[in-house]
């Protein structure tokens, strides 16, 4: 089966997993895990040096063009993250197998808006892995996880430079259930 190139995605929006044709057309998507030490996000800086939460409600619906972006490394130092993902297996034109994988993204945590206002990845917990990988369990059973809006463990967002991605500021704590200061 050839990939349907109508869609291209690095991320998989949780709100679309149960309804998108991308996940229901053959071959059907299946759940997977992406192991990572960290991930990067880019914080847009808007005219006037404003962050996302300083935009008017109308501007938040359609943000203005950023004038710059700050980069952040998001991690739990020294620990591995298990990110929920959706995958498809394809057969390429040369007959070789191909895999498409997209990390599942959730609505952003309110305290994460000034780091990345669009989304936050679904992080799985150790006790969820067996069920997550069980192909016999329909995606609908995981709908509560697709609607999470809180961090599942404490993380930190470290401002980094580019292209070296070296720390350039103090980490911002990202704590489940707590109000942080991202600005």
């Amino acid at each position: 089966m050839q990939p349907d190139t109508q869609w291209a995605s690095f991320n998989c929006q949780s709100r679309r997993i149960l309804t998108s044709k991308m996940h229901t057309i053959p071959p059907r998507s299946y759940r997977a895990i992406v192991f990572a030490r960290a991930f990067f996000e880019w914080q847009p800086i808007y005219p006037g040096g404003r962050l996302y939460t300083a935009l008017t409600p109308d501007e938040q619906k359609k943000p203005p063009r950023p004038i710059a972006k700050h980069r952040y490394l998001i991690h739990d130092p020294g620990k591995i993250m298990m990110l929920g993902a959706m995958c498809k297996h394809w057969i390429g034109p040369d007959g070789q197998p191909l895999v498409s994988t997209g990390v599942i993204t959730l609505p952003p945590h309110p305290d994460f808006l000034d780091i990345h206002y669009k989304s936050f990845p679904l992080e799985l917990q150790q006790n969820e892995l067996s069920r997550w990988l069980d192909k016999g369990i329909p995606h609908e059973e995981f709908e509560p996880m697709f609607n999470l809006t809180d961090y599942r463990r404490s993380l930190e967002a470290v401002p980094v430079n580019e292209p070296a991605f070296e720390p350039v500021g103090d980490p911002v704590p990202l704590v489940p259930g707590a109000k942080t200061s991202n600005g």
Side-chain angles (χ1 to χ4, degrees):
M1 181 165 285
Q2 296 292 322
D4 185 337
T5 56
Q6 175 182 353
W7 292 286
S9 178
F10 297 105
N11 293 329
C12 174
Q13 295 177 357
S14 63
R15 64 184 170 87
R16 293 189 169 168
I17 291 171
L18 302 179
T19 59
S20 172
K21 288 182 182 178
M22 182 173 171
H23 302 297
T24 58
I25 62 169
R28 188 172 172 82
S29 294
Y30 61 93
R31 295 178 302 275
I33 303 167
V34 172
F35 294 90
R37 289 191 181 273
F39 63 93
F40 289 96
E41 291 295 1
W42 284 255
Q43 172 195 59
I45 307 298
Y46 299 102
R50 297 177 300 157
L51 300 177
Y52 180 81
T53 55
L55 299 177
T56 67
D58 285 342
E59 288 176 313
Q60 286 184 0
K61 288 178 187 168
K62 187 174 182 195
R65 185 179 189 96
I67 58 171
K69 290 188 176 184
H70 288 178
R71 286 110 185 127
Y72 282 88
L73 169 77
I74 316 300
H75 70 138
D76 183 354
K79 300 204 174 135
I80 297 292
M81 301 172 85
M82 298 176 290
L83 306 177
M86 298 297 284
C87 287
K88 281 186 181 271
H89 280 199
W90 309 91
I91 301 299
D94 60 358
Q96 295 298 310
L98 301 172
V99 179
S100 300
T101 304
V103 171
I104 296 172
T105 56
L106 305 169
H109 185 283
D111 295 338
F112 200 66
L113 294 174
D114 282 335
I115 294 172
H116 190 68
Y117 73 89
K118 292 183 179 181
S119 61
F120 192 82
L122 170 62
E123 186 175 4
L124 299 171
Q125 297 176 338
Q126 185 72 36
N127 65 345
E128 298 166 333
L129 300 183
S130 294
R131 285 183 38 89
W132 183 257
L133 294 174
D134 185 336
K135 290 182 183 180
I137 299 174
H139 300 324
E140 290 79 5
E141 297 259 342
F142 297 95
E143 190 168 8
M145 288 172 69
F146 299 155
N147 294 306
L148 293 171
T149 57
D150 200 359
Y151 308 120
R152 300 192 84 194
R153 67 168 154 162
S154 294
L155 301 167
E156 62 182 34
V158 181
V160 295
N161 64 10
E162 196 176 309
F165 290 94
E166 297 167 338
V168 294
D170 293 330
V172 175
L174 306 173
V175 180
K179 179 70 179 150
T180 64
S181 172
N182 291 337

